[in-house]
PDB file of all heavy atoms in Angstrom:
ATOM      1  N   THR A  39     -69.028 188.177 109.890  1.00 93.00           N
ATOM      2  CA  THR A  39     -68.951 189.559 110.347  1.00 93.00           C
ATOM      3  C   THR A  39     -68.661 189.599 111.844  1.00 93.00           C
ATOM      4  O   THR A  39     -68.855 188.598 112.543  1.00 93.00           O
ATOM      5  CB  THR A  39     -70.281 190.295 110.088  1.00 93.00           C
ATOM      6  OG1 THR A  39     -71.293 189.692 110.903  1.00 93.00           O
ATOM      7  CG2 THR A  39     -70.673 190.229 108.618  1.00 93.00           C
ATOM      8  N   ARG A  53     -64.233 181.080 118.222  1.00 93.00           N
ATOM      9  CA  ARG A  53     -63.360 182.241 118.423  1.00 93.00           C
ATOM     10  C   ARG A  53     -61.945 181.839 118.839  1.00 93.00           C
ATOM     11  O   ARG A  53     -60.959 182.346 118.299  1.00 93.00           O
ATOM     12  CB  ARG A  53     -63.951 183.190 119.462  1.00 93.00           C
ATOM     13  CG  ARG A  53     -63.136 184.467 119.638  1.00 93.00           C
ATOM     14  CD  ARG A  53     -63.619 185.311 120.810  1.00 93.00           C
ATOM     15  NE  ARG A  53     -65.012 185.644 120.739  1.00 93.00           N
ATOM     16  CZ  ARG A  53     -65.491 186.847 120.430  1.00 93.00           C
ATOM     17  NH1 ARG A  53     -64.672 187.838 120.172  1.00 93.00           N
ATOM     18  NH2 ARG A  53     -66.776 187.072 120.413  1.00 93.00           N
ATOM     19  N   ALA A  54     -61.816 180.909 119.775  1.00 93.00           N
ATOM     20  CA  ALA A  54     -60.480 180.481 120.231  1.00 93.00           C
ATOM     21  C   ALA A  54     -59.691 179.829 119.096  1.00 93.00           C
ATOM     22  O   ALA A  54     -58.489 180.058 118.951  1.00 93.00           O
ATOM     23  CB  ALA A  54     -60.610 179.525 121.412  1.00 93.00           C
ATOM     24  N   ASP A  81     -78.772 164.542 102.174  1.00 86.00           N
ATOM     25  CA  ASP A  81     -79.557 165.240 103.201  1.00 86.00           C
ATOM     26  C   ASP A  81     -78.667 165.877 104.265  1.00 86.00           C
ATOM     27  O   ASP A  81     -79.126 166.168 105.359  1.00 86.00           O
ATOM     28  CB  ASP A  81     -80.580 164.306 103.842  1.00 86.00           C
ATOM     29  CG  ASP A  81     -79.924 163.132 104.558  1.00 86.00           C
ATOM     30  OD1 ASP A  81     -78.710 162.938 104.396  1.00 86.00           O
ATOM     31  OD2 ASP A  81     -80.630 162.409 105.269  1.00 86.00           O
ATOM     32  N   GLY A  82     -77.404 166.097 103.935  1.00 91.00           N
ATOM     33  CA  GLY A  82     -76.536 166.710 104.929  1.00 91.00           C
ATOM     34  C   GLY A  82     -75.312 167.360 104.320  1.00 91.00           C
ATOM     35  O   GLY A  82     -74.878 167.022 103.220  1.00 91.00           O
ATOM     36  N   SER A  86     -67.755 174.971 107.590  1.00 96.00           N
ATOM     37  CA  SER A  86     -66.475 175.354 108.172  1.00 96.00           C
ATOM     38  C   SER A  86     -66.325 176.865 108.052  1.00 96.00           C
ATOM     39  O   SER A  86     -66.943 177.493 107.195  1.00 96.00           O
ATOM     40  CB  SER A  86     -65.318 174.672 107.436  1.00 96.00           C
ATOM     41  OG  SER A  86     -64.055 175.052 107.964  1.00 96.00           O
ATOM     42  N   PRO A  98     -66.380 185.988  92.998  1.00 87.00           N
ATOM     43  CA  PRO A  98     -67.672 185.840  93.666  1.00 87.00           C
ATOM     44  C   PRO A  98     -68.345 184.495  93.350  1.00 87.00           C
ATOM     45  O   PRO A  98     -68.484 184.127  92.192  1.00 87.00           O
ATOM     46  CB  PRO A  98     -68.499 187.007  93.120  1.00 87.00           C
ATOM     47  CG  PRO A  98     -67.502 187.997  92.640  1.00 87.00           C
ATOM     48  CD  PRO A  98     -66.310 187.195  92.185  1.00 87.00           C
ATOM     49  N   LEU A 146     -99.467 169.627  83.721  1.00 94.00           N
ATOM     50  CA  LEU A 146     -98.331 168.979  84.384  1.00 94.00           C
ATOM     51  C   LEU A 146     -98.757 168.359  85.701  1.00 94.00           C
ATOM     52  O   LEU A 146     -99.729 168.792  86.327  1.00 94.00           O
ATOM     53  CB  LEU A 146     -97.210 169.995  84.619  1.00 94.00           C
ATOM     54  CG  LEU A 146     -96.632 170.653  83.363  1.00 94.00           C
ATOM     55  CD1 LEU A 146     -95.642 171.740  83.743  1.00 94.00           C
ATOM     56  CD2 LEU A 146     -95.980 169.600  82.470  1.00 94.00           C
ATOM     57  N   PRO A 155     -77.612 172.611  88.083  1.00 95.00           N
ATOM     58  CA  PRO A 155     -76.831 173.495  88.954  1.00 95.00           C
ATOM     59  C   PRO A 155     -76.203 174.636  88.159  1.00 95.00           C
ATOM     60  O   PRO A 155     -75.897 174.481  86.979  1.00 95.00           O
ATOM     61  CB  PRO A 155     -75.763 172.581  89.549  1.00 95.00           C
ATOM     62  CG  PRO A 155     -75.728 171.376  88.691  1.00 95.00           C
ATOM     63  CD  PRO A 155     -77.048 171.277  88.004  1.00 95.00           C
ATOM     64  N   GLY A 168     -83.341 170.950  98.641  1.00 94.00           N
ATOM     65  CA  GLY A 168     -83.817 171.796  97.554  1.00 94.00           C
ATOM     66  C   GLY A 168     -82.785 172.705  96.930  1.00 94.00           C
ATOM     67  O   GLY A 168     -83.123 173.546  96.103  1.00 94.00           O
TER      68      GLY A 168
END
Side-chain angles (χ1 to χ4, degrees):
T39 65
R53 184 188 305 254
D81 62 350
S86 179
L146 300 174

